[in-house]
């Protein structure tokens, strides 16, 4: 599947795979550069998809006549990212 055709979830899964390969440390310099380039391209495409989704949400909120309001998302977060002491 080409990068342009992939959705965000597929991009994220592939990016995680690329990062895992790089973190193993057993790639040659050339293989590492190729993997890094792929990772950068995936990250940029993912960021672009997120920006587009944010703009779509903003348009939907504006159509509702409400002012956009930022609030933290609830979900599974790493403990290092959490302010919750539990």
């Amino acid at each position: 599947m080409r990068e342009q055709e992939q959705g965000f979830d597929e991009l994220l899964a592939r990016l995680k795979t690329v990062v895992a390969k790089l973190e193993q440390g057993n790639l040659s310099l050339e293989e590492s550069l190729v993997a890094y380039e792929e990772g950068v391209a995936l990250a940029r495409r993912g960021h672009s998809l997120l920006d587009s989704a944010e703009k779509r949400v903003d348009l939907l909120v504006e159509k509702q006549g409400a002012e956009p309001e930022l609030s933290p998302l609830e979900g599974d977060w790493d403990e290092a990212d959490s302010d919750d002491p539990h």
Side-chain angles (χ1 to χ4, degrees), residues 5 13-16 23 26 41-42 51 60:
E5 298 170 353
R14 179 63 190 152
L15 183 57
K16 287 179 180 182
E23 287 179 340
N26 56 1
L42 290 166
D51 284 344
L60 289 171

Side-chain angles (χ1 to χ4, degrees), residues 19-76:
V19 169
K21 279 176 47 176
L22 286 167
E23 287 179 340
Q24 288 175 356
N26 56 1
L27 299 176
S28 69
L29 176 59
E30 184 61 31
E31 291 170 327
S32 294
L33 288 171
V34 169
Y36 182 79
E37 288 172 348
E38 180 184 3
V40 168
L42 290 166
R44 286 180 178 158
R45 177 70 181 139
H47 190 269
S48 176
L49 288 172
L50 288 174
D51 284 344
S52 295
E54 182 179 17
K55 288 175 185 174
R56 289 175 64 189
V57 169
D58 287 345
L59 285 173
L60 289 171
V61 169
E62 286 176 18
K63 285 182 180 180
Q64 295 288 326
E67 190 66 30
E69 180 179 314
L70 297 176
S71 60
L73 296 175
E74 292 184 24
D76 295 329

